[in-house]
Amino acid sequence: SAVISQKPSRDICQRGTSLTIQCQVDSQVTMMFWYRQQPGQSLTLIATANQGSEATYESGFVIDKFPISRPNLTFSTLTVSNMSPEDSSIYLCSVMSGASGGNTIYFGEGSWLTVV
Amino acid sequence: RKEVEQDPGPFNVPEGATVAFNCTYSNSASQSFFWYRQDCRKEPKLLMSVYSSGNEDGRFTAQLNRASQYISLLIRDSKLSDSATYLCVVVNTGGFKTIFGAGTRLFVKA
């Protein structure tokens, strides 16, 4: 398994500002994933963060809004830029491990973001 | 059609009851299957992997039916602490495209 630490765990932000979420993994991983889970909804993949290259964004998510850094194999950041109330959500960092006989996803504790 | 579909529930059951959840997936090339549990305002956590031969972990049994493209989760002797949302997760070709179901909410009552 993998131990993933995220911070901040929660924040209340003013609209128009930006917030950077940090994700630290206890082992080296090739890919890290950033998800969003809006209230009452399931998880939606924002992007895949690869070390040494630009992140790969899913449909509906763009780099200008959600810039991602991946400086090394154990760390990544996600910035939520120019926030609006619609960005209020939990943001989850995750990695994939080959334990349990398959590709298992492990999550950080999440960053609860409220935009006012 | 969604790639992964679950009955959202909620399922309201008394303690000690047996409850079953189903999940269907649309991509026949899907490789790996999991059930995750998510408590309120917490991150999802792996409950169990799902294998073609079926697998059991205590009160929990998971099964995969590739022909019909569905997976199931059976919980026996429900406990109050089983109350949570159960997410069906499918990993597709290449091992990196992961699809989450919307989750099934379970409430176990005393």
Side-chain angles (χ1 to χ4, degrees):
Chain A
S1 65
V3 178
I4 306 170
S5 301
Q6 263 185 257
K7 58 180 182 181
S9 58
R10 60 183 67 246
D11 208 340
I12 299 174
C13 303
Q14 297 291 324
R15 67 177 68 199
T17 63
S18 298
L19 178 74
T20 296
I21 302 167
Q22 299 181 5
C23 178
Q24 180 76 50
V25 189
D26 68 341
S27 57
Q28 294 185 338
V29 291
T30 304
M31 292 190 290
M32 295 174 74
F33 305 90
W34 287 99
Y35 286 87
R36 180 173 74 181
Q37 187 176 29
Q38 295 180 304
Q41 305 295 315
S42 190
L43 287 81
T44 301
L45 181 64
I46 297 171
T48 302
N50 308 301
Q51 195 272 331
S53 64
E54 270 198 8
T56 303
Y57 289 83
E58 297 298 307
S59 175
F61 298 97
V62 294
I63 188 171
D64 289 346
K65 175 68 176 176
F66 298 100
I68 287 172
S69 79
R70 184 78 201 275
N72 57 54
L73 290 173
T74 65
F75 187 79
S76 179
T77 68
L78 170 75
T79 298
V80 186
S81 303
N82 188 25
M83 288 183 285
S84 66
E86 292 72 32
D87 293 321
S88 297
S89 184
I90 177 173
Y91 291 84
L92 292 153
C93 169
S94 76
V95 302
M96 195 172 272
S97 167
S100 304
N103 292 320
T104 303
I105 296 179
Y106 297 93
F107 291 92
E109 305 96 331
S111 298
W112 293 88
L113 178 61
T114 301
V115 184
V116 296
Chain B
R1 181 186 174 187
K2 292 182 181 178
E3 292 186 77
V4 176
E5 292 201 70
Q6 291 182 252
D7 182 344
F11 285 68
N12 294 288
V13 302
E15 272 189 295
T18 296
V19 61
F21 307 138
N22 285 328
C23 167
T24 59
Y25 60 95
S26 60
N27 188 341
S28 60
S30 298
Q31 293 182 314
S32 304
F33 309 87
F34 307 91
W35 284 101
Y36 277 72
R37 171 194 169 124
Q38 187 173 24
D39 292 290
C40 187
R41 301 182 71 79
K42 297 285 188 181
E43 77 277 17
K45 293 184 178 178
L46 178 67
L47 179 65
M48 58 198 307
S49 303
V50 189
Y51 305 117
S52 296
S53 55
N55 49 305
E56 186 173 313
D57 182 4
R59 297 182 293 109
F60 299 83
T61 301
Q63 298 216 315
L64 165 64
N65 185 319
R66 285 191 182 273
S68 301
Q69 295 181 207
Y70 79 83
I71 68 174
S72 64
L73 176 68
L74 182 75
I75 305 175
R76 291 180 298 278
D77 189 22
S78 299
K79 312 290 185 189
L80 294 176
S81 58
D82 293 333
S83 298
T85 297
Y86 291 83
L87 302 171
C88 171
V89 181
V90 175
V91 180
N92 286 341
T93 305
F96 303 124
K97 182 168 174 60
T98 302
I99 310 296
F100 288 84
T104 298
R105 296 184 69 188
L106 172 65
F107 295 102
V108 181
K109 303 172 294 185

